[in-house]
Amino acid sequence: MAIGRLDEDSEGLLLLTTDGMTSEIVRSKTVEKEYYAQVDGIITQEAVEQLRSGVEIGFKGIRYTTKKCEASIISQLPESIGEGRRIRDERHGPTSWVSITLTEGKFRQVRKMTAAVGFPTLRLVRIRVGSISLQLKAGEVLEVESFFTNHQITK
């Protein structure tokens, strides 16, 4: 089974397990999940500060303020991200990238957060869960059982 889901429009690190306890631990609020989001426009430092402080989003029909998180502007994408599928061409305006690290995971949270600060997400890539990072090319598989020995998953 997959540990945490990626929606149809997202990509990146997906962990699989047959151990329900491991799944529970990874999905808990003690394990960080890091995402790189390509956003519409050149994101400002003010918007990044808003993301860090928590923003109001809709969740299950009610307003919800996200918990504080880590966020920063990304100037250089790692090679493991690659170009990906073409989102749009340059004539539709510039884009930029932001890193967001959460310990919670509401439905489409990162997309809602970036939209709330005025920079809708165009592409979303999960690059890290706990101490496991996306360092492979698309389609490659890494056996990470040793990371879960005795459920010692680090932030």
Side-chain angles (χ1 to χ4, degrees):
M1 72 179 127
I3 303 175
R5 296 184 303 264
L6 290 172
D7 65 33
E8 182 179 353
D9 297 326
S10 300
E11 55 192 285
L13 183 62
L14 181 63
L15 303 178
L16 304 173
T17 185
T18 57
D19 180 4
M21 181 59 79
T22 296
S23 180
E24 285 295 316
I25 291 168
V26 172
R27 289 184 295 124
S28 75
K29 294 182 180 181
T30 61
V31 177
E32 292 180 340
K33 292 85 176 172
E34 184 176 6
Y35 299 84
Y36 283 3
Q38 182 181 22
V39 296
D40 187 10
I42 304 301
I43 195 163
T44 63
Q45 194 59 46
E46 178 185 3
V48 171
E49 289 301 324
Q50 289 176 327
L51 292 170
R52 286 181 187 148
S53 299
V55 295
E56 190 174 277
I57 62 172
F59 178 67
K60 293 187 176 181
I62 59 170
R63 302 308 291 166
Y64 173 80
T65 301
T66 61
K67 297 187 183 323
K68 291 183 179 184
C69 69
E70 294 178 30
S72 60
I73 296 171
I74 301 170
S75 56
Q76 182 69 35
L77 280 179
E79 196 173 300
S80 60
I81 299 294
E83 289 296 316
R85 66 184 185 280
R86 188 172 184 99
I87 302 297
R88 64 180 191 195
D89 61 35
E90 299 77 29
R91 66 184 168 174
H92 293 106
T95 65
S96 56
W97 286 85
V98 62
S99 167
I100 300 174
T101 303
L102 309 169
T103 56
E104 60 182 343
K106 304 293 185 203
F107 179 71
R108 297 177 69 86
Q109 180 173 342
V110 172
R111 292 177 185 280
K112 291 176 182 180
M113 288 173 68
T114 62
V117 297
F119 296 90
T121 296
L122 302 172
R123 182 177 174 207
L124 184 61
V125 183
R126 181 166 47 204
I127 63 147
R128 183 173 62 85
V129 174
S131 61
I132 303 169
S133 302
L134 182 63
Q135 300 172 358
L136 306 172
K137 301 220 184 296
E140 289 183 300
V141 176
L142 173 66
E143 179 64 45
V144 294
E145 187 173 319
S146 61
F147 284 97
F148 298 114
T149 304
N150 298 323
H151 305 295
Q152 295 177 355
I153 302 170
T154 59
K155 286 185 178 184

